[in-house]
Amino acid sequence: MSDISSTTETAYADGKILEHTAGGVGVITFNNPDKRNAMSLEMWEGFGEALTSLRDDETVRVVILRGAGGKAFVSGADISQFEKVRHNAAASDEYAKRSAAQRALLADYPKPTIACIQGFCLGGGMQIAMLADIRIASQDSQFGIPAARLGIAYGYDGLRHLVSLVGPSWARLLMYTGMRIDSAEALRIGLVERVIPDDQLWGETMAIAQTISENAPLAIKAAKITIAQVLKDEGQRNMNAIKAIGNACMDSADFREGRQAFMEKRKPQFRGN
């Protein structure tokens, strides 16, 4: 996976989480290749720091999540920590609280997110990928949730997202068996949106991210907010939020710029206001 010309790289969790930006695109790299990017508690917390940094960076319009080393996106939780931090129900609850805060940050992220998946995407890695707005996978990628083989329960939020993507029957098959599926199967059942040849994955992902970054941020925000509300039960939908972002789009300088650029047959320059 080739890199991109970027600003200065920022490291978290002793270098196991990396963050950089380029051309309106933020990139977070899970950098623990010796353990196939298995997530330690420190990595979860570093992930949250990186997400917050890119969220607050006004130059960043879209965020890509990827794994280092070419062998895994994230292969799950770091099982070597289980004896210390997840050895019983009480310890597991504390671990879940600390890692859940970072997942909640991703779930409610205001900017578009893309999971660029190469190699293993398992367990906690599936949770991260399913929380991203878009999942793009290499042909060699593999997916699974081995909770049943470890004797642990996969959390409600993770299963809610799994069911929403692949349906209850496939969720049962994956969870009951702990099986792994390949990228073709993942595409067929709706777990990922696109499958790309391994050597083209990063270039294709960056092309999509750059396209998003060049589009009108308010219009994308409107789509993100509205889709999130569509997925909720009718009684829980915030129709006022949909109306407010729609009005913001129609009153924005970007809408005027979009109209003018169309008439002048040129590429629009959107500023997010």
Side-chain angles (χ1 to χ4, degrees), residues 40 86 146:
S40 64
R86 297 184 76 179

Side-chain angles (χ1 to χ4, degrees), residues 6 12 26-27 31-32 110 113 122 169 181 188 215 220 226 229 236:
S6 67
Y12 306 90
V27 180
N31 186 40
N32 191 15
T113 52
L122 307 173
S169 294
I181 59 173
R188 189 182 69 81
N215 285 336
I220 292 172
T226 304
Q229 297 306 314
Q236 297 178 328

Side-chain angles (χ1 to χ4, degrees), residues 29-154:
T29 303
F30 304 104
N31 186 40
N32 191 15
D34 289 345
K35 292 189 175 182
R36 292 181 173 175
N37 303 323
M39 293 288 284
S40 64
L41 191 54
E42 294 76 18
M43 287 176 68
W44 276 113
E45 293 174 343
F47 179 43
E49 292 180 81
L51 284 170
T52 300
S53 173
L54 293 177
R55 181 197 64 193
D56 296 341
D57 186 338
E58 294 183 356
T59 70
V60 172
R61 295 185 177 181
V62 57
V63 174
I64 297 173
L65 311 175
R66 68 174 183 175
K71 301 295 185 182
F73 173 69
V74 171
S75 62
D78 185 348
I79 297 176
S80 68
Q81 288 196 327
F82 278 25
E83 192 61 32
K84 179 179 180 181
V85 299
R86 297 184 76 179
H87 57 281
N88 59 26
S92 185
D93 281 348
E94 179 61 26
Y95 177 97
K97 288 177 184 177
R98 293 173 68 182
S99 59
Q102 323 311 326
R103 291 192 294 274
L105 183 61
L106 180 58
D108 295 328
Y109 210 64
K111 299 177 180 181
T113 52
I114 303 172
C116 176
I117 303 165
Q118 184 169 23
F120 295 105
C121 180
L122 307 173
M126 284 271 284
Q127 284 191 304
I128 294 169
M130 291 188 296
L131 285 169
D133 293 322
I134 300 166
R135 285 156 294 282
I136 303 172
S138 67
Q139 289 177 332
D140 73 347
S141 55
Q142 296 184 42
F143 302 83
I145 300 173
R149 297 184 178 184
L150 294 171
I152 60 176
Y154 206 63

